[in-house]
Amino acid sequence: MRYSISLMMVVVMALVLSVFAFALDDKELLKEAKQIFEPIKEYKMPKDAVSMAKIELGKMLYYEPRLSRSGDISCNSCHNLAGYGVDNLPNSLGHNFQQGGRNAPTVLNSKFNIAQFWDGRAKDLTEQAKGPVLNPKEMAMPNSDLVIERLKSIPEYVSLFKKAFPGDKDAVNYNNMAMAIAAFEETLVTPSKFDKFLEGDLNAMSTAEKAGLSRFMKTGCIDCHTGIGVGGNSYRKFGMINPYQFQSDKGVYELTKDDADMYVFKVASLRNIERTYPYFHDGKVWSLHDAVKTMGHTQLGIELTDAQISEIITFLKSLTGEVPDYAKMLPTLPPSTDTTPKPYL
Amino acid sequence: MRYSISLMMVVVMALVLSVFAFALDDKELLKEAKQIFEPIKEYKMPKDAVSMAKIELGKMLYYEPRLSRSGDISCNSCHNLAGYGVDNLPNSLGHNFQQGGRNAPTVLNSKFNIAQFWDGRAKDLTEQAKGPVLNPKEMAMPNSDLVIERLKSIPEYVSLFKKAFPGDKDAVNYNNMAMAIAAFEETLVTPSKFDKFLEGDLNAMSTAEKAGLSRFMKTGCIDCHTGIGVGGNSYRKFGMINPYQFQSDKGVYELTKDDADMYVFKVASLRNIERTYPYFHDGKVWSLHDAVKTMGHTQLGIELTDAQISEIITFLKSLTGEVPDYAKMLPTLPPSTDTTPKPYL
């Protein structure tokens, strides 16, 4: 009897100690993680009427197919908010079903990126929004004048632009269109359990998720995937150690013709990565397992085991948040008028 | 003084009488209208879990681009709920940007139609939903097996089909897919001020709208546009009195090869007609003014004056309702898995 009581005490003490050690480990993990990452918070709608008008207008424009030549393609066609802000295609399909040159990145949390597009050629969301509307492979409008002519022919839009840009004499202009879309996109942030953890809730992530985070950090993924976006804040050569198997796109080099930019791309944010397949700038890798394996090989020169990859994926899934309801509620688009320039092919 | 008092009394009495007469006219108008039309009511969500599961599943499938070969086209692409259930194009753009043969009718209130498609070749919404998925010009799936293979590869869909069709051993099948989409579409009803009027609220419509209704009835539009859909419940030759200027599509004749069906189409419902331009089976007429004028000429042999057309349009606008919020709230589509057959061109 005395023996069994002593044994029980030892077991209990061991349990207490191990829980304590776990807690210590978790605290240590949190401390390290806070030095590398930054949490995001749910977007709070602005209270002033002008900012709100800009967001409301931007949302309508985001879902507006009349920003495309055919009248059939909107921002949401390729950055579908029913699907985590992507189309889950290797290359998006634009005007006449032409394929885009690179995989469409998610619009979610895109405001945290250092710049926009895979090569960072747009400095912010406003500059980004001006691109696809006029890209002949995407929405294919022949010029910004026709975009503005369409918008000005619709009285409801004229009135909304005036409300959103009260200082402007000629509020309906291409830059304001892009600013409004960007204002809407600013709302598209998706906090996850990882953010709760970063804010100090040690139980927000499961033991397996925390082990995955630890593996993610130890493996060296945080050489690139850091900050508020868990990536998206730097540029790297794809194939730093070993070449990427589908290497052909020269990345930033295409813009600069500088050899130092050969195969260089913006590092992708890993938020919602589970839902934004297929992966990489070319969308050629469909499974997250293969994507993580590829990263280990090309960027770190490490051949990750299946078990290690699984651990990392368990962490990556904790980066999945939810598309805000406000963004998912379709607007009702205002009708065209007799003077609205018609869609055409 | 006495003279001016008498004059005032006469004026007051005239006013009282005219208001009384107006009220009498409105009551008479309502009485006539109730013999011709039927009001619709806001859709009430069912309380039983199975019906609700069917609607929820149907909504996801309605917004699901993986029902198309390319993974880029959903029901909502052509029947956009941000735009009154249409794409406002003469002909919808399907797989490879191929143009559809006829104008896409609105999905709103479509359950009230006598049958579906312009030629009525689908007896109900379930039969309709099976068409576009397999139409090589539309969503272009090669066969229903691949549709089901895609759906079965996604565990969340398998589970949702089981909930929606609890009696079925093999719940994920093409007919159930169509039944679920139809169940969602049943919710897409849009009561308007006209319905309030039909239910007895004489002030729900303005004086001008009531005058328009009166003109609509007197002119003979109600030879065809009757019932709960203000049309949609019969078939007529387009060009009963005078030929349609763009006549080329032979309508039901294409199906039956019966001369009696030459140029015969289902009469369109006029609910939300203001928002579902361009008009007719070929989408060749963009303005409602021209559409009303054409109808007078071709179907009634009447050359309506601009004033008469305006009156009728004022009434037609009272048929505009609102797309229910439930339908406009985008679902979050479940992710594909490694076994999901890939989209292709």
Side-chain angles (χ1 to χ4, degrees):
Chain A
M1 181 70 177
R2 171 167 291 185
Y3 174 76
S4 75
I5 285 178
S6 316
L7 182 67
M8 224 165 86
M9 279 181 66
V10 169
V11 169
V12 166
M13 278 185 65
L15 275 171
V16 167
L17 277 172
S18 71
V19 166
F20 190 64
F22 254 125
L24 260 188
D25 280 358
D26 282 0
K27 277 191 182 164
E28 196 52 44
L29 183 68
L30 173 60
K31 199 178 149 193
E32 282 176 41
K34 283 173 89 164
Q35 287 163 13
I36 296 159
F37 308 107
E38 200 184 319
I40 59 177
K41 287 180 198 300
E42 215 172 293
Y43 185 83
K44 290 262 185 294
M45 286 293 166
K47 286 196 176 132
D48 72 291
V50 171
S51 301
M52 203 53 226
K54 216 169 279 178
I55 292 171
E56 286 279 346
L57 170 61
K59 177 167 146 178
M60 291 172 82
L61 295 170
Y62 186 86
Y63 283 107
E64 180 53 85
R66 284 168 294 189
L67 296 187
S68 69
R69 184 198 291 206
S70 66
D72 207 43
I73 302 175
S74 70
C75 304
N76 194 64
S77 299
C78 303
H79 301 281
N80 186 356
L81 293 174
Y84 279 82
V86 293
D87 53 13
N88 295 126
L89 298 177
N91 300 87
S92 296
L93 299 169
H95 190 72
N96 274 327
F97 251 49
Q98 290 173 93
Q99 294 189 57
R102 291 184 182 134
N103 179 261
T106 180
V107 69
L108 302 177
N109 309 299
S110 53
K111 71 170 168 184
F112 302 125
N113 290 335
I114 187 171
Q116 303 302 323
F117 294 114
W118 279 99
D119 54 13
R121 68 183 181 277
K123 73 173 196 293
D124 56 24
L125 291 173
T126 299
E127 286 312 305
Q128 192 283 331
K130 293 176 186 176
V133 174
L134 300 180
N135 186 322
K137 282 186 161 187
E138 301 184 31
M139 296 162 86
M141 289 297 273
N143 52 61
S144 60
D145 288 353
L146 186 59
V147 180
I148 297 311
E149 205 186 325
R150 280 203 188 150
L151 292 172
K152 280 191 174 172
S153 73
I154 299 166
E156 203 170 326
Y157 272 129
V158 174
S159 151
L160 289 167
F161 270 90
K162 279 182 186 161
K163 272 185 205 159
F165 301 96
D168 290 21
K169 274 186 190 157
D170 195 22
V172 189
N173 63 57
Y174 199 65
N175 196 54
N176 285 352
M177 173 206 79
M179 297 239 294
I181 292 172
F184 169 62
E185 290 175 341
E186 296 259 343
T187 72
L188 301 174
V189 297
T190 65
S192 74
K193 51 170 79 168
F194 178 58
D195 298 290
K196 281 191 186 148
F197 176 77
L198 285 179
E199 280 165 354
D201 180 355
L202 296 174
N203 297 315
M205 290 167 79
S206 70
T207 306
E209 286 162 347
K210 284 178 278 199
L213 168 59
S214 180
R215 172 70 63 196
F216 183 83
M217 296 198 296
K218 277 186 214 147
T219 303
C221 309
I222 53 172
D223 286 359
C224 302
H225 294 284
T226 64
I228 195 162
V230 193
N233 54 354
S234 64
Y235 296 86
R236 290 299 155 95
K237 180 179 173 183
F238 193 178
M240 277 169 66
I241 310 293
N242 294 301
Y244 172 48
Q245 61 171 322
F246 301 118
Q247 201 167 66
S248 69
D249 186 331
K250 292 173 182 159
V252 178
Y253 175 88
E254 303 281 3
L255 283 181
T256 63
K257 304 296 172 192
D258 181 341
D259 285 343
D261 293 332
M262 185 64 85
Y263 306 127
V264 167
F265 295 90
K266 191 180 66 190
V267 172
S269 163
L270 297 183
R271 289 191 176 274
N272 303 302
I273 193 72
E274 168 197 9
R275 305 299 287 266
T276 60
Y277 57 87
Y279 299 107
F280 305 135
H281 63 275
D282 55 9
K284 284 206 169 147
V285 174
W286 281 85
S287 90
L288 192 48
H289 182 279
D290 293 348
V292 172
K293 194 181 179 73
T294 298
M295 282 282 103
H297 177 73
T298 62
Q299 306 308 98
L300 299 167
I302 299 170
E303 304 311 312
L304 291 165
T305 66
D306 284 355
Q308 290 168 332
I309 293 170
S310 287
E311 270 191 311
I312 290 172
I313 288 177
T314 301
F315 161 62
L316 292 177
K317 288 185 176 175
S318 79
L319 298 174
T320 303
E322 278 176 22
V323 182
D325 278 354
Y326 168 76
K328 287 198 295 179
M329 176 60 84
L330 291 180
T332 292
L333 301 174
S336 294
T337 63
D338 289 347
T339 63
T340 306
K342 302 281 182 288
Y344 65 101
L345 291 185
Chain B
M1 181 70 175
R2 170 168 290 186
Y3 174 75
S4 75
I5 287 178
S6 315
L7 184 65
M8 225 164 85
M9 279 182 65
V10 168
V11 168
V12 167
M13 279 186 65
L15 275 171
V16 167
L17 277 172
S18 72
V19 167
F20 191 64
F22 255 124
L24 261 189
D25 280 357
D26 281 1
K27 278 191 182 165
E28 195 53 42
L29 182 67
L30 173 61
K31 198 177 149 191
E32 281 176 42
K34 283 172 89 165
Q35 287 163 13
I36 297 158
F37 308 106
E38 200 185 320
I40 59 177
K41 285 180 198 299
E42 214 171 295
Y43 185 83
K44 290 260 184 296
M45 287 291 166
K47 286 194 177 134
D48 72 292
V50 171
S51 301
M52 202 53 225
K54 216 169 280 179
I55 291 171
E56 286 278 344
L57 171 62
K59 178 168 145 177
M60 291 172 82
L61 295 170
Y62 186 87
Y63 283 107
E64 180 54 84
R66 284 167 295 189
L67 296 187
S68 69
R69 183 197 293 206
S70 66
D72 208 43
I73 302 175
S74 70
C75 304
N76 194 64
S77 299
C78 303
H79 301 281
N80 186 357
L81 293 174
Y84 280 82
V86 294
D87 53 13
N88 296 125
L89 298 176
N91 301 88
S92 295
L93 299 169
H95 190 72
N96 275 326
F97 251 49
Q98 291 173 93
Q99 294 191 56
R102 291 183 183 136
N103 179 262
T106 181
V107 69
L108 302 177
N109 308 299
S110 53
K111 71 170 168 184
F112 301 126
N113 289 334
I114 187 171
Q116 303 302 322
F117 294 113
W118 279 99
D119 54 13
R121 68 184 182 277
K123 73 174 195 294
D124 56 25
L125 292 173
T126 299
E127 288 310 306
Q128 192 283 329
K130 294 175 185 176
V133 175
L134 299 180
N135 186 322
K137 282 187 160 186
E138 302 184 32
M139 296 161 86
M141 288 297 272
N143 52 61
S144 61
D145 287 353
L146 186 60
V147 180
I148 297 312
E149 206 186 326
R150 279 203 188 150
L151 292 172
K152 280 190 174 172
S153 73
I154 299 167
E156 202 170 326
Y157 272 129
V158 174
S159 151
L160 289 167
F161 270 90
K162 278 182 186 160
K163 273 186 205 158
F165 301 95
D168 289 22
K169 275 185 192 161
D170 194 22
V172 189
N173 63 57
Y174 198 66
N175 195 55
N176 284 353
M177 174 205 79
M179 296 237 297
I181 293 172
F184 169 61
E185 291 174 342
E186 296 258 342
T187 72
L188 302 174
V189 298
T190 64
S192 74
K193 52 170 78 168
F194 178 58
D195 297 290
K196 282 193 185 145
F197 176 78
L198 286 179
E199 280 165 354
D201 179 355
L202 296 175
N203 296 315
M205 290 168 78
S206 70
T207 306
E209 286 162 345
K210 284 179 278 198
L213 168 59
S214 178
R215 172 70 62 194
F216 183 83
M217 296 198 297
K218 276 186 216 148
T219 303
C221 309
I222 53 172
D223 286 359
C224 302
H225 294 283
T226 63
I228 195 162
V230 193
N233 55 355
S234 64
Y235 296 86
R236 291 299 156 94
K237 180 179 171 182
F238 192 179
M240 277 170 65
I241 310 293
N242 295 302
Y244 172 48
Q245 62 170 322
F246 301 117
Q247 198 168 69
S248 69
D249 185 331
K250 291 172 183 163
V252 178
Y253 175 88
E254 304 281 1
L255 283 181
T256 62
K257 305 296 173 192
D258 181 341
D259 286 342
D261 293 332
M262 185 65 84
Y263 306 126
V264 167
F265 294 90
K266 191 179 67 190
V267 172
S269 162
L270 297 183
R271 289 190 175 274
N272 303 302
I273 194 72
E274 168 197 9
R275 305 299 287 263
T276 60
Y277 57 86
Y279 299 108
F280 305 134
H281 63 276
D282 55 10
K284 284 205 169 149
V285 174
W286 281 85
S287 89
L288 192 47
H289 181 278
D290 293 348
V292 172
K293 194 180 177 75
T294 298
M295 283 283 103
H297 177 73
T298 62
Q299 306 308 97
L300 299 167
I302 299 171
E303 303 312 312
L304 292 165
T305 66
D306 284 354
Q308 291 168 332
I309 293 170
S310 287
E311 270 190 311
I312 290 171
I313 288 178
T314 301
F315 160 62
L316 292 178
K317 288 185 176 176
S318 79
L319 298 174
T320 303
E322 279 176 23
V323 182
D325 278 354
Y326 168 77
K328 287 198 296 179
M329 175 61 82
L330 291 180
T332 292
L333 301 174
S336 294
T337 63
D338 289 348
T339 63
T340 305
K342 302 280 183 288
Y344 65 101
L345 290 184

